[in-house]
Amino acid sequence: MPQRPDNRADIRDFLARRRAQLTPEQVGLPTSGRRRVPGLRREEVAVLAGVSTEWYTRLEKGHIGGVSEDVLDAVARTLRLSEDERTYLFDLARAAQPGPAPRRRRKAGTIPPHVQWLLDSMTLSAAYVNNGRLDIVAGNALARALFAPMYASPTTARDGRPNFARYHFLDPGAQDFVVDWGSAADVTAALLRAEAGRYPHDRALRELIGELSTVSAEFRIRWAAHGVRVHHGGVKRLHHPEAGPLQLTYQPLDLPVSAHEAHSLTIYTAEPGTPDEDRLKLLASWTAVPHDQM
C-alpha cells in the first residue's frame, strides 16, 4: 500500500520563510539588541502563539502530524498568514497525518458535454476549464484564439493539452505574449504550490514540478520562495500577435465536474466601451465555429 509522501521539508521551508519575513516591530516586540537572524526568532513565535519553544521548534522542523486546529490557527495568526497561506498550512498538516495514503489515485476526469456547450455559448468571452495542474482541458473558440501562442507552443505538443506552467517557464515566447510575465510567473508557481499542498500524492503533479525545477531557473527561484495562491483573479495584459495589445479582466470559478480532481472555469472579458473590447470582438469574429471537444 502506498505511503504518504514526506512533506517535512515543505513545512520547514514554508514556516521558516514566513517567520523570516516578519519583523519585531510588526508584532509589537522590542527591537533593542543585535539580531543574528532576519525576522522573528523561534522563541518569539512560540510566545506569541502560546506554545513552548521546544514545541514550535519541532513543528518548524516538519513534525506537524497530529497538531490541533487551534494550535495551527494560533501559529497562522502569529505569522500573519494570508487566507491562502493558512489553507496551505492546514493542507500540509492534513497530508502529514499518520497512516497510508488514499488508495484511489487521481486521474484526469472527463469533461461532460454540457460543460463544452456552456463554453461554446460564450461567444464574446474567452472561457476555458483547467485542472489544478494548470492544464486547459476544455475551451471555447475565443479562448483558443486568445491563447493561440500557447496552443501552438512546443510545450503543448507533448500531450496535446496546453499547460500554463510549462508555457510560462519553458517557452521563451511567453515573455513576449504575457506583458506582466514576472507577476504571471509568480502566480503560476504559487498556484502549483497550493495544489501540491492539497494533493501531495498526485504523481502527475510531482512530475510536472520536477520537470519545471530541472529545466527552469526562474521556476526554481519562485518554487523556493513558497508563494501560495488558492484563489486568483484580476487583470491580464497580453500582446496578441494578431489582435495587438489586450487588457482583460479574468475570474476563475470552481467547477465541480469530477470526483477525481478539481477544476476551475475561467472567463476573460474586456471592459465595455474600450479599445480592448473592440479588439476582443475582432478576435472573436475571426474564430472558427466551435467544435465539440478540444
Side-chain angles (χ1 to χ4, degrees):
M1 181 179 296
Q3 297 297 309
R4 293 182 181 273
D6 187 345
N7 64 356
R8 284 178 293 182
D10 289 337
I11 298 166
R12 180 184 66 243
D13 293 345
F14 176 66
L15 292 177
R17 283 182 175 275
R18 293 302 173 268
R19 175 168 58 84
Q21 291 171 354
L22 280 178
T23 64
E25 295 92 339
Q26 287 177 296
V27 297
L29 293 176
T31 58
S32 59
R34 170 169 281 177
R35 304 179 70 87
R36 293 181 298 173
V37 295
L40 298 180
R41 302 184 179 101
R42 285 177 175 173
E43 56 267 28
E44 292 170 335
V45 175
V47 169
L48 293 170
V51 299
S52 69
T53 300
E54 292 77 15
W55 188 94
Y56 179 75
T57 298
R58 178 175 171 79
L59 174 64
E60 196 172 286
K61 288 182 177 179
H63 302 285
I64 201 172
V67 176
S68 71
E69 290 190 2
D70 288 342
V71 170
L72 288 177
D73 264 328
V75 170
R77 287 195 303 271
T78 299
L79 296 178
R80 302 196 174 187
L81 300 185
S82 68
E83 187 61 31
D84 285 355
E85 290 169 339
R86 180 187 178 279
T87 298
Y88 178 65
L89 179 62
F90 274 73
D91 285 338
L92 290 175
R94 191 175 302 111
Q97 295 298 323
R103 285 181 177 272
R104 186 175 63 187
R105 295 168 60 185
R106 293 211 305 160
K107 60 181 181 180
T110 301
I111 300 301
H114 69 266
V115 172
Q116 187 64 52
W117 303 340
L118 171 67
L119 295 173
D120 290 340
S121 72
M122 301 180 192
T123 56
L124 295 181
S125 296
Y128 61 82
V129 176
N130 66 272
N131 58 24
R133 295 182 296 277
L134 305 184
D135 297 312
I136 293 184
V137 297
N140 65 5
L142 186 50
R144 293 189 291 273
L146 178 63
F147 293 103
M150 183 167 65
Y151 276 85
S153 170
T155 62
T156 295
R158 55 181 296 160
D159 59 8
R161 280 187 172 183
N163 179 277
F164 281 100
R166 284 196 179 97
Y167 178 65
H168 277 104
F169 291 108
L170 303 184
D171 190 330
Q175 299 192 32
D176 296 323
F177 177 56
V178 182
V179 176
D180 301 313
W181 181 88
S183 297
D186 291 342
V187 170
T188 299
L191 289 169
L192 288 182
R193 172 65 76 177
E195 182 73 359
R198 286 190 297 264
Y199 299 106
H201 54 279
D202 183 345
R203 187 170 67 179
L205 177 61
R206 294 200 305 270
E207 290 175 350
L208 172 62
I209 293 168
E211 175 189 358
L212 297 174
S213 298
T214 300
V215 179
S216 172
E218 293 282 4
F219 179 80
R220 288 196 297 273
I221 292 170
R222 289 166 171 80
W223 189 251
H226 276 261
V228 178
R229 291 287 291 271
V230 176
H231 301 291
H232 72 296
V235 175
K236 179 87 72 177
R237 292 194 299 146
L238 305 172
H239 194 279
H240 195 276
E242 295 178 342
L246 286 166
Q247 179 169 297
L248 305 175
T249 298
Y250 69 99
Q251 182 62 53
L253 305 169
D254 290 338
L255 188 67
V257 296
S258 171
H260 300 293
E261 60 181 344
H263 292 87
S264 295
L265 166 64
T266 301
I267 302 170
Y268 280 74
T269 56
E271 182 179 350
T274 63
D276 298 298
E277 183 186 38
D278 294 337
R279 296 187 187 102
L280 191 63
K281 286 181 177 179
L282 181 62
L283 189 59
S285 71
W286 294 339
T287 60
V289 177
H291 49 73
D292 292 336
Q293 296 294 333
M294 292 177 56

